[in-house]
PDB file of all heavy atoms in Angstrom:
ATOM      1  N   GLY U 229      -8.368  -8.949   8.328  1.00  0.00           N
ATOM      2  CA  GLY U 229      -8.878  -9.049   9.684  1.00  0.00           C
ATOM      3  C   GLY U 229      -9.943  -8.004   9.977  1.00  0.00           C
ATOM      4  O   GLY U 229     -10.990  -8.335  10.494  1.00  0.00           O
ATOM      5  N   THR U 230      -9.645  -6.772   9.631  1.00  0.00           N
ATOM      6  CA  THR U 230     -10.660  -5.693   9.899  1.00  0.00           C
ATOM      7  C   THR U 230     -11.859  -5.800   8.960  1.00  0.00           C
ATOM      8  O   THR U 230     -12.940  -5.538   9.413  1.00  0.00           O
ATOM      9  CB  THR U 230      -9.955  -4.324   9.710  1.00  0.00           C
ATOM     10  OG1 THR U 230      -9.333  -4.202   8.416  1.00  0.00           O
ATOM     11  CG2 THR U 230      -8.828  -4.082  10.746  1.00  0.00           C
ATOM     12  N   LEU U 231     -11.564  -6.221   7.719  1.00  0.00           N
ATOM     13  CA  LEU U 231     -12.660  -6.308   6.812  1.00  0.00           C
ATOM     14  C   LEU U 231     -13.676  -7.433   7.259  1.00  0.00           C
ATOM     15  O   LEU U 231     -14.856  -7.280   7.233  1.00  0.00           O
ATOM     16  CB  LEU U 231     -12.151  -6.696   5.467  1.00  0.00           C
ATOM     17  CG  LEU U 231     -12.929  -6.292   4.162  1.00  0.00           C
ATOM     18  CD1 LEU U 231     -13.097  -4.720   4.114  1.00  0.00           C
ATOM     19  CD2 LEU U 231     -12.344  -6.768   2.940  1.00  0.00           C
ATOM     20  N   ALA U 232     -13.097  -8.561   7.703  1.00  0.00           N
ATOM     21  CA  ALA U 232     -13.921  -9.664   8.200  1.00  0.00           C
ATOM     22  C   ALA U 232     -14.713  -9.271   9.457  1.00  0.00           C
ATOM     23  O   ALA U 232     -15.907  -9.643   9.566  1.00  0.00           O
ATOM     24  CB  ALA U 232     -13.040 -10.889   8.465  1.00  0.00           C
ATOM     25  N   SER U 233     -14.092  -8.567  10.331  1.00  0.00           N
ATOM     26  CA  SER U 233     -14.767  -8.116  11.600  1.00  0.00           C
ATOM     27  C   SER U 233     -15.903  -7.205  11.332  1.00  0.00           C
ATOM     28  O   SER U 233     -16.902  -7.173  12.113  1.00  0.00           O
ATOM     29  CB  SER U 233     -13.824  -7.497  12.513  1.00  0.00           C
ATOM     30  OG  SER U 233     -13.291  -6.306  12.017  1.00  0.00           O
ATOM     31  N   VAL U 234     -15.861  -6.419  10.229  1.00  0.00           N
ATOM     32  CA  VAL U 234     -16.900  -5.513   9.891  1.00  0.00           C
ATOM     33  C   VAL U 234     -18.090  -6.210   9.183  1.00  0.00           C
ATOM     34  O   VAL U 234     -19.203  -6.017   9.502  1.00  0.00           O
ATOM     35  CB  VAL U 234     -16.431  -4.312   9.028  1.00  0.00           C
ATOM     36  CG1 VAL U 234     -17.544  -3.519   8.474  1.00  0.00           C
ATOM     37  CG2 VAL U 234     -15.357  -3.497   9.777  1.00  0.00           C
ATOM     38  N   TYR U 235     -17.762  -6.988   8.140  1.00  0.00           N
ATOM     39  CA  TYR U 235     -18.795  -7.519   7.239  1.00  0.00           C
ATOM     40  C   TYR U 235     -19.193  -8.944   7.492  1.00  0.00           C
ATOM     41  O   TYR U 235     -20.172  -9.406   6.920  1.00  0.00           O
ATOM     42  CB  TYR U 235     -18.319  -7.334   5.813  1.00  0.00           C
ATOM     43  CG  TYR U 235     -18.210  -5.816   5.428  1.00  0.00           C
ATOM     44  CD1 TYR U 235     -16.954  -5.270   5.271  1.00  0.00           C
ATOM     45  CD2 TYR U 235     -19.268  -5.067   5.256  1.00  0.00           C
ATOM     46  CE1 TYR U 235     -16.807  -3.941   4.910  1.00  0.00           C
ATOM     47  CE2 TYR U 235     -19.175  -3.753   4.889  1.00  0.00           C
ATOM     48  CZ  TYR U 235     -17.913  -3.150   4.760  1.00  0.00           C
ATOM     49  OH  TYR U 235     -17.806  -1.836   4.419  1.00  0.00           O
ATOM     50  N   PHE U 236     -18.444  -9.700   8.252  1.00  0.00           N
ATOM     51  CA  PHE U 236     -18.726 -11.156   8.365  1.00  0.00           C
ATOM     52  C   PHE U 236     -18.969 -11.635   9.764  1.00  0.00           C
ATOM     53  O   PHE U 236     -19.749 -12.528   9.958  1.00  0.00           O
ATOM     54  CB  PHE U 236     -17.590 -11.968   7.802  1.00  0.00           C
ATOM     55  CG  PHE U 236     -17.397 -11.738   6.254  1.00  0.00           C
ATOM     56  CD1 PHE U 236     -16.415 -10.866   5.733  1.00  0.00           C
ATOM     57  CD2 PHE U 236     -18.224 -12.387   5.350  1.00  0.00           C
ATOM     58  CE1 PHE U 236     -16.231 -10.715   4.400  1.00  0.00           C
ATOM     59  CE2 PHE U 236     -18.076 -12.180   4.018  1.00  0.00           C
ATOM     60  CZ  PHE U 236     -17.103 -11.281   3.570  1.00  0.00           C
ATOM     61  N   PHE U 237     -18.292 -11.028  10.726  1.00  0.00           N
ATOM     62  CA  PHE U 237     -18.386 -11.547  12.127  1.00  0.00           C
ATOM     63  C   PHE U 237     -19.304 -10.732  13.034  1.00  0.00           C
ATOM     64  O   PHE U 237     -19.268 -10.855  14.217  1.00  0.00           O
ATOM     65  CB  PHE U 237     -16.971 -11.527  12.749  1.00  0.00           C
ATOM     66  CG  PHE U 237     -16.040 -12.532  12.040  1.00  0.00           C
ATOM     67  CD1 PHE U 237     -14.718 -12.240  12.107  1.00  0.00           C
ATOM     68  CD2 PHE U 237     -16.525 -13.579  11.397  1.00  0.00           C
ATOM     69  CE1 PHE U 237     -13.840 -13.107  11.462  1.00  0.00           C
ATOM     70  CE2 PHE U 237     -15.615 -14.408  10.750  1.00  0.00           C
ATOM     71  CZ  PHE U 237     -14.268 -14.213  10.754  1.00  0.00           C
ATOM     72  N   SER U 238     -20.224  -9.968  12.441  1.00  0.00           N
ATOM     73  CA  SER U 238     -21.131  -9.213  13.201  1.00  0.00           C
ATOM     74  C   SER U 238     -22.547  -9.401  12.721  1.00  0.00           C
ATOM     75  O   SER U 238     -22.826  -9.484  11.534  1.00  0.00           O
ATOM     76  CB  SER U 238     -20.754  -7.715  13.191  1.00  0.00           C
ATOM     77  OG  SER U 238     -20.831  -7.241  11.889  1.00  0.00           O
ATOM     78  N   SER U 239     -23.461  -9.553  13.675  1.00  0.00           N
ATOM     79  CA  SER U 239     -24.895  -9.720  13.329  1.00  0.00           C
ATOM     80  C   SER U 239     -25.600  -8.374  13.199  1.00  0.00           C
ATOM     81  O   SER U 239     -26.678  -8.303  12.548  1.00  0.00           O
ATOM     82  CB  SER U 239     -25.591 -10.557  14.376  1.00  0.00           C
ATOM     83  OG  SER U 239     -25.465  -9.927  15.659  1.00  0.00           O
ATOM     84  N   SER U 240     -25.104  -7.315  13.813  1.00  0.00           N
ATOM     85  CA  SER U 240     -25.770  -6.018  13.696  1.00  0.00           C
ATOM     86  C   SER U 240     -24.693  -4.927  13.683  1.00  0.00           C
ATOM     87  O   SER U 240     -23.531  -5.181  14.059  1.00  0.00           O
ATOM     88  CB  SER U 240     -26.717  -5.778  14.843  1.00  0.00           C
ATOM     89  OG  SER U 240     -25.956  -5.803  16.009  1.00  0.00           O
ATOM     90  N   TRP U 241     -25.037  -3.777  13.213  1.00  0.00           N
ATOM     91  CA  TRP U 241     -24.071  -2.686  13.018  1.00  0.00           C
ATOM     92  C   TRP U 241     -24.024  -1.940  14.391  1.00  0.00           C
ATOM     93  O   TRP U 241     -24.936  -1.211  14.717  1.00  0.00           O
ATOM     94  CB  TRP U 241     -24.442  -1.765  11.961  1.00  0.00           C
ATOM     95  CG  TRP U 241     -23.326  -1.053  11.387  1.00  0.00           C
ATOM     96  CD1 TRP U 241     -22.808   0.171  11.814  1.00  0.00           C
ATOM     97  CD2 TRP U 241     -22.416  -1.496  10.384  1.00  0.00           C
ATOM     98  NE1 TRP U 241     -21.701   0.503  11.087  1.00  0.00           N
ATOM     99  CE2 TRP U 241     -21.400  -0.473  10.219  1.00  0.00           C
ATOM    100  CE3 TRP U 241     -22.387  -2.635   9.614  1.00  0.00           C
ATOM    101  CZ2 TRP U 241     -20.409  -0.588   9.299  1.00  0.00           C
ATOM    102  CZ3 TRP U 241     -21.316  -2.691   8.673  1.00  0.00           C
ATOM    103  CH2 TRP U 241     -20.378  -1.733   8.547  1.00  0.00           C
ATOM    104  N   ASP U 242     -23.022  -2.140  15.160  1.00  0.00           N
ATOM    105  CA  ASP U 242     -22.896  -1.430  16.479  1.00  0.00           C
ATOM    106  C   ASP U 242     -21.521  -0.792  16.586  1.00  0.00           C
ATOM    107  O   ASP U 242     -20.764  -0.706  15.636  1.00  0.00           O
ATOM    108  CB  ASP U 242     -23.137  -2.472  17.617  1.00  0.00           C
ATOM    109  CG  ASP U 242     -22.251  -3.678  17.445  1.00  0.00           C
ATOM    110  OD1 ASP U 242     -21.171  -3.574  16.832  1.00  0.00           O
ATOM    111  OD2 ASP U 242     -22.629  -4.737  18.021  1.00  0.00           O
ATOM    112  N   SER U 243     -21.170  -0.373  17.808  1.00  0.00           N
ATOM    113  CA  SER U 243     -19.925   0.311  18.076  1.00  0.00           C
ATOM    114  C   SER U 243     -18.700  -0.521  17.703  1.00  0.00           C
ATOM    115  O   SER U 243     -17.699   0.060  17.272  1.00  0.00           O
ATOM    116  CB  SER U 243     -19.878   0.830  19.485  1.00  0.00           C
ATOM    117  OG  SER U 243     -19.929  -0.240  20.381  1.00  0.00           O
ATOM    118  N   LYS U 244     -18.721  -1.802  17.939  1.00  0.00           N
ATOM    119  CA  LYS U 244     -17.567  -2.698  17.609  1.00  0.00           C
ATOM    120  C   LYS U 244     -17.310  -2.616  16.092  1.00  0.00           C
ATOM    121  O   LYS U 244     -16.166  -2.574  15.697  1.00  0.00           O
ATOM    122  CB  LYS U 244     -17.882  -4.093  18.034  1.00  0.00           C
ATOM    123  CG  LYS U 244     -17.916  -4.266  19.584  1.00  0.00           C
ATOM    124  CD  LYS U 244     -18.074  -5.706  19.930  1.00  0.00           C
ATOM    125  CE  LYS U 244     -19.445  -6.227  19.467  1.00  0.00           C
ATOM    126  NZ  LYS U 244     -19.647  -7.639  19.909  1.00  0.00           N
ATOM    127  N   ASP U 245     -18.367  -2.624  15.318  1.00  0.00           N
ATOM    128  CA  ASP U 245     -18.201  -2.532  13.817  1.00  0.00           C
ATOM    129  C   ASP U 245     -17.623  -1.205  13.435  1.00  0.00           C
ATOM    130  O   ASP U 245     -16.796  -1.094  12.497  1.00  0.00           O
ATOM    131  CB  ASP U 245     -19.485  -2.839  13.131  1.00  0.00           C
ATOM    132  CG  ASP U 245     -20.122  -4.205  13.507  1.00  0.00           C
ATOM    133  OD1 ASP U 245     -19.384  -5.149  13.384  1.00  0.00           O
ATOM    134  OD2 ASP U 245     -21.197  -4.264  13.943  1.00  0.00           O
ATOM    135  N   ILE U 246     -18.060  -0.151  14.125  1.00  0.00           N
ATOM    136  CA  ILE U 246     -17.606   1.173  13.824  1.00  0.00           C
ATOM    137  C   ILE U 246     -16.109   1.298  14.124  1.00  0.00           C
ATOM    138  O   ILE U 246     -15.305   1.868  13.382  1.00  0.00           O
ATOM    139  CB  ILE U 246     -18.367   2.297  14.496  1.00  0.00           C
ATOM    140  CG1 ILE U 246     -19.806   2.300  13.980  1.00  0.00           C
ATOM    141  CG2 ILE U 246     -17.764   3.665  14.389  1.00  0.00           C
ATOM    142  CD1 ILE U 246     -20.728   3.211  14.735  1.00  0.00           C
ATOM    143  N   ILE U 247     -15.733   0.705  15.238  1.00  0.00           N
ATOM    144  CA  ILE U 247     -14.306   0.688  15.620  1.00  0.00           C
ATOM    145  C   ILE U 247     -13.455  -0.087  14.600  1.00  0.00           C
ATOM    146  O   ILE U 247     -12.400   0.410  14.167  1.00  0.00           O
ATOM    147  CB  ILE U 247     -14.142   0.053  16.988  1.00  0.00           C
ATOM    148  CG1 ILE U 247     -14.675   0.949  18.104  1.00  0.00           C
ATOM    149  CG2 ILE U 247     -12.612  -0.180  17.300  1.00  0.00           C
ATOM    150  CD1 ILE U 247     -14.762   0.342  19.467  1.00  0.00           C
ATOM    151  N   ALA U 248     -13.982  -1.233  14.100  1.00  0.00           N
ATOM    152  CA  ALA U 248     -13.304  -1.985  13.092  1.00  0.00           C
ATOM    153  C   ALA U 248     -13.185  -1.146  11.747  1.00  0.00           C
ATOM    154  O   ALA U 248     -12.187  -1.221  11.063  1.00  0.00           O
ATOM    155  CB  ALA U 248     -14.004  -3.270  12.799  1.00  0.00           C
ATOM    156  N   SER U 249     -14.261  -0.366  11.468  1.00  0.00           N
ATOM    157  CA  SER U 249     -14.199   0.515  10.273  1.00  0.00           C
ATOM    158  C   SER U 249     -13.153   1.589  10.393  1.00  0.00           C
ATOM    159  O   SER U 249     -12.512   1.966   9.419  1.00  0.00           O
ATOM    160  CB  SER U 249     -15.619   1.099  10.089  1.00  0.00           C
ATOM    161  OG  SER U 249     -16.579   0.151   9.718  1.00  0.00           O
ATOM    162  N   VAL U 250     -13.030   2.110  11.670  1.00  0.00           N
ATOM    163  CA  VAL U 250     -11.989   3.126  11.850  1.00  0.00           C
ATOM    164  C   VAL U 250     -10.557   2.478  11.616  1.00  0.00           C
ATOM    165  O   VAL U 250      -9.727   3.054  11.049  1.00  0.00           O
ATOM    166  CB  VAL U 250     -12.041   3.650  13.290  1.00  0.00           C
ATOM    167  CG1 VAL U 250     -10.799   4.437  13.666  1.00  0.00           C
ATOM    168  CG2 VAL U 250     -13.306   4.481  13.490  1.00  0.00           C
ATOM    169  N   MET U 251     -10.398   1.172  12.049  1.00  0.00           N
ATOM    170  CA  MET U 251      -9.152   0.493  11.803  1.00  0.00           C
ATOM    171  C   MET U 251      -8.940   0.397  10.285  1.00  0.00           C
ATOM    172  O   MET U 251      -7.769   0.631   9.839  1.00  0.00           O
ATOM    173  CB  MET U 251      -9.239  -0.939  12.405  1.00  0.00           C
ATOM    174  CG  MET U 251      -9.163  -0.973  13.928  1.00  0.00           C
ATOM    175  SD  MET U 251      -7.499  -0.650  14.475  1.00  0.00           S
ATOM    176  CE  MET U 251      -6.580  -1.990  13.790  1.00  0.00           C
ATOM    177  N   TYR U 252      -9.914   0.035   9.573  1.00  0.00           N
ATOM    178  CA  TYR U 252      -9.790  -0.111   8.116  1.00  0.00           C
ATOM    179  C   TYR U 252      -9.558   1.175   7.365  1.00  0.00           C
ATOM    180  O   TYR U 252      -8.714   1.256   6.472  1.00  0.00           O
ATOM    181  CB  TYR U 252     -10.977  -0.816   7.571  1.00  0.00           C
ATOM    182  CG  TYR U 252     -10.995  -0.945   6.082  1.00  0.00           C
ATOM    183  CD1 TYR U 252     -10.091  -1.747   5.382  1.00  0.00           C
ATOM    184  CD2 TYR U 252     -11.952  -0.174   5.284  1.00  0.00           C
ATOM    185  CE1 TYR U 252     -10.114  -1.859   4.015  1.00  0.00           C
ATOM    186  CE2 TYR U 252     -11.994  -0.376   3.903  1.00  0.00           C
ATOM    187  CZ  TYR U 252     -11.014  -1.198   3.309  1.00  0.00           C
ATOM    188  OH  TYR U 252     -11.025  -1.244   1.938  1.00  0.00           O
ATOM    189  N   THR U 253     -10.236   2.282   7.734  1.00  0.00           N
ATOM    190  CA  THR U 253     -10.184   3.512   7.021  1.00  0.00           C
ATOM    191  C   THR U 253      -9.109   4.569   7.483  1.00  0.00           C
ATOM    192  O   THR U 253      -8.714   5.403   6.720  1.00  0.00           O
ATOM    193  CB  THR U 253     -11.562   4.236   7.002  1.00  0.00           C
ATOM    194  OG1 THR U 253     -11.937   4.569   8.406  1.00  0.00           O
ATOM    195  CG2 THR U 253     -12.681   3.378   6.354  1.00  0.00           C
ATOM    196  N   ALA U 254      -8.757   4.360   8.819  1.00  0.00           N
ATOM    197  CA  ALA U 254      -7.802   5.353   9.327  1.00  0.00           C
ATOM    198  C   ALA U 254      -6.496   4.744   9.800  1.00  0.00           C
ATOM    199  O   ALA U 254      -5.439   5.281   9.562  1.00  0.00           O
ATOM    200  CB  ALA U 254      -8.543   6.126  10.488  1.00  0.00           C
ATOM    201  N   VAL U 255      -6.595   3.668  10.540  1.00  0.00           N
ATOM    202  CA  VAL U 255      -5.410   3.057  11.231  1.00  0.00           C
ATOM    203  C   VAL U 255      -4.540   2.342  10.220  1.00  0.00           C
ATOM    204  O   VAL U 255      -3.311   2.563  10.190  1.00  0.00           O
ATOM    205  CB  VAL U 255      -5.851   2.166  12.397  1.00  0.00           C
ATOM    206  CG1 VAL U 255      -4.529   1.579  13.017  1.00  0.00           C
ATOM    207  CG2 VAL U 255      -6.580   2.902  13.430  1.00  0.00           C
ATOM    208  N   THR U 256      -5.150   1.402   9.454  1.00  0.00           N
ATOM    209  CA  THR U 256      -4.365   0.602   8.464  1.00  0.00           C
ATOM    210  C   THR U 256      -3.614   1.439   7.460  1.00  0.00           C
ATOM    211  O   THR U 256      -2.468   1.253   7.184  1.00  0.00           O
ATOM    212  CB  THR U 256      -5.259  -0.437   7.776  1.00  0.00           C
ATOM    213  OG1 THR U 256      -5.879  -1.309   8.772  1.00  0.00           O
ATOM    214  CG2 THR U 256      -4.467  -1.273   6.806  1.00  0.00           C
ATOM    215  N   PRO U 257      -4.323   2.456   6.797  1.00  0.00           N
ATOM    216  CA  PRO U 257      -3.565   3.338   5.886  1.00  0.00           C
ATOM    217  C   PRO U 257      -2.462   4.053   6.529  1.00  0.00           C
ATOM    218  O   PRO U 257      -1.436   4.366   5.832  1.00  0.00           O
ATOM    219  CB  PRO U 257      -4.685   4.248   5.350  1.00  0.00           C
ATOM    220  CG  PRO U 257      -5.962   3.554   5.506  1.00  0.00           C
ATOM    221  CD  PRO U 257      -5.749   2.734   6.785  1.00  0.00           C
ATOM    222  N   MET U 258      -2.615   4.406   7.802  1.00  0.00           N
ATOM    223  CA  MET U 258      -1.515   5.172   8.516  1.00  0.00           C
ATOM    224  C   MET U 258      -0.318   4.216   8.763  1.00  0.00           C
ATOM    225  O   MET U 258       0.802   4.611   8.685  1.00  0.00           O
ATOM    226  CB  MET U 258      -2.022   5.687   9.794  1.00  0.00           C
ATOM    227  CG  MET U 258      -1.041   6.466  10.585  1.00  0.00           C
ATOM    228  SD  MET U 258      -1.588   6.930  12.236  1.00  0.00           S
ATOM    229  CE  MET U 258      -1.772   5.326  12.997  1.00  0.00           C
ATOM    230  N   LEU U 259      -0.590   2.977   9.115  1.00  0.00           N
ATOM    231  CA  LEU U 259       0.459   1.989   9.446  1.00  0.00           C
ATOM    232  C   LEU U 259       1.247   1.446   8.313  1.00  0.00           C
ATOM    233  O   LEU U 259       2.410   1.154   8.433  1.00  0.00           O
ATOM    234  CB  LEU U 259      -0.128   0.880  10.284  1.00  0.00           C
ATOM    235  CG  LEU U 259      -0.670   1.161  11.692  1.00  0.00           C
ATOM    236  CD1 LEU U 259      -1.251  -0.102  12.258  1.00  0.00           C
ATOM    237  CD2 LEU U 259       0.408   1.786  12.552  1.00  0.00           C
ATOM    238  N   ASN U 260       0.581   1.366   7.130  1.00  0.00           N
ATOM    239  CA  ASN U 260       1.250   0.689   5.971  1.00  0.00           C
ATOM    240  C   ASN U 260       2.627   1.261   5.617  1.00  0.00           C
ATOM    241  O   ASN U 260       3.617   0.488   5.381  1.00  0.00           O
ATOM    242  CB  ASN U 260       0.279   0.698   4.708  1.00  0.00           C
ATOM    243  CG  ASN U 260      -0.773  -0.345   4.854  1.00  0.00           C
ATOM    244  OD1 ASN U 260      -0.722  -1.207   5.754  1.00  0.00           O
ATOM    245  ND2 ASN U 260      -1.691  -0.306   3.950  1.00  0.00           N
ATOM    246  N   PRO U 261       2.796   2.657   5.572  1.00  0.00           N
ATOM    247  CA  PRO U 261       4.150   3.072   5.208  1.00  0.00           C
ATOM    248  C   PRO U 261       5.161   2.638   6.224  1.00  0.00           C
ATOM    249  O   PRO U 261       6.324   2.379   5.845  1.00  0.00           O
ATOM    250  CB  PRO U 261       3.989   4.607   5.220  1.00  0.00           C
ATOM    251  CG  PRO U 261       2.504   4.845   4.969  1.00  0.00           C
ATOM    252  CD  PRO U 261       1.812   3.688   5.644  1.00  0.00           C
ATOM    253  N   PHE U 262       4.787   2.603   7.438  1.00  0.00           N
ATOM    254  CA  PHE U 262       5.775   2.231   8.564  1.00  0.00           C
ATOM    255  C   PHE U 262       6.043   0.708   8.382  1.00  0.00           C
ATOM    256  O   PHE U 262       7.208   0.257   8.639  1.00  0.00           O
ATOM    257  CB  PHE U 262       5.185   2.566   9.929  1.00  0.00           C
ATOM    258  CG  PHE U 262       4.989   4.010  10.117  1.00  0.00           C
ATOM    259  CD1 PHE U 262       3.748   4.553   9.985  1.00  0.00           C
ATOM    260  CD2 PHE U 262       6.084   4.869  10.404  1.00  0.00           C
ATOM    261  CE1 PHE U 262       3.529   5.948  10.204  1.00  0.00           C
ATOM    262  CE2 PHE U 262       5.886   6.245  10.622  1.00  0.00           C
ATOM    263  CZ  PHE U 262       4.584   6.762  10.475  1.00  0.00           C
ATOM    264  N   ILE U 263       5.011  -0.039   8.130  1.00  0.00           N
ATOM    265  CA  ILE U 263       5.208  -1.468   8.094  1.00  0.00           C
ATOM    266  C   ILE U 263       6.161  -1.855   6.962  1.00  0.00           C
ATOM    267  O   ILE U 263       7.101  -2.684   7.076  1.00  0.00           O
ATOM    268  CB  ILE U 263       3.906  -2.203   7.776  1.00  0.00           C
ATOM    269  CG1 ILE U 263       2.964  -2.072   9.066  1.00  0.00           C
ATOM    270  CG2 ILE U 263       4.064  -3.681   7.531  1.00  0.00           C
ATOM    271  CD1 ILE U 263       1.504  -2.482   8.797  1.00  0.00           C
ATOM    272  N   TYR U 264       6.091  -1.097   5.817  1.00  0.00           N
ATOM    273  CA  TYR U 264       6.899  -1.442   4.681  1.00  0.00           C
ATOM    274  C   TYR U 264       8.293  -0.722   4.726  1.00  0.00           C
ATOM    275  O   TYR U 264       9.171  -1.110   3.948  1.00  0.00           O
ATOM    276  CB  TYR U 264       6.196  -1.012   3.370  1.00  0.00           C
ATOM    277  CG  TYR U 264       5.138  -2.035   2.874  1.00  0.00           C
ATOM    278  CD1 TYR U 264       3.839  -1.810   3.028  1.00  0.00           C
ATOM    279  CD2 TYR U 264       5.643  -3.249   2.208  1.00  0.00           C
ATOM    280  CE1 TYR U 264       2.924  -2.709   2.618  1.00  0.00           C
ATOM    281  CE2 TYR U 264       4.662  -4.145   1.809  1.00  0.00           C
ATOM    282  CZ  TYR U 264       3.361  -3.925   1.972  1.00  0.00           C
ATOM    283  OH  TYR U 264       2.395  -4.817   1.563  1.00  0.00           O
ATOM    284  N   SER U 265       8.462   0.111   5.684  1.00  0.00           N
ATOM    285  CA  SER U 265       9.638   0.906   5.671  1.00  0.00           C
ATOM    286  C   SER U 265      10.614   0.576   6.838  1.00  0.00           C
ATOM    287  O   SER U 265      11.875   0.689   6.736  1.00  0.00           O
ATOM    288  CB  SER U 265       9.355   2.433   5.796  1.00  0.00           C
ATOM    289  OG  SER U 265       8.526   2.856   4.744  1.00  0.00           O
TER     290      SER U 265
END
């Protein structure tokens, strides 16, 4: 979901894409241990 929002669903690189990148690089890695545990 975050990958698609960054690289496929945007026509230009703006703040929405940066927020999606934050989700991919910071939020998702943080949540994964909790999701699996």
Side-chain angles (χ1 to χ4, degrees):
T230 54
L231 208 62
S233 64
V234 173
Y235 295 106
F236 295 101
F237 296 152
S238 60
S239 56
S240 62
W241 204 268
D242 53 24
S243 59
K244 291 184 294 183
D245 302 306
I246 294 177
I247 292 171
S249 296
V250 169
M251 286 288 297
Y252 174 67
T253 59
V255 178
T256 301
M258 179 187 68
L259 292 179
N260 281 353
F262 298 100
I263 294 171
Y264 279 103
S265 304

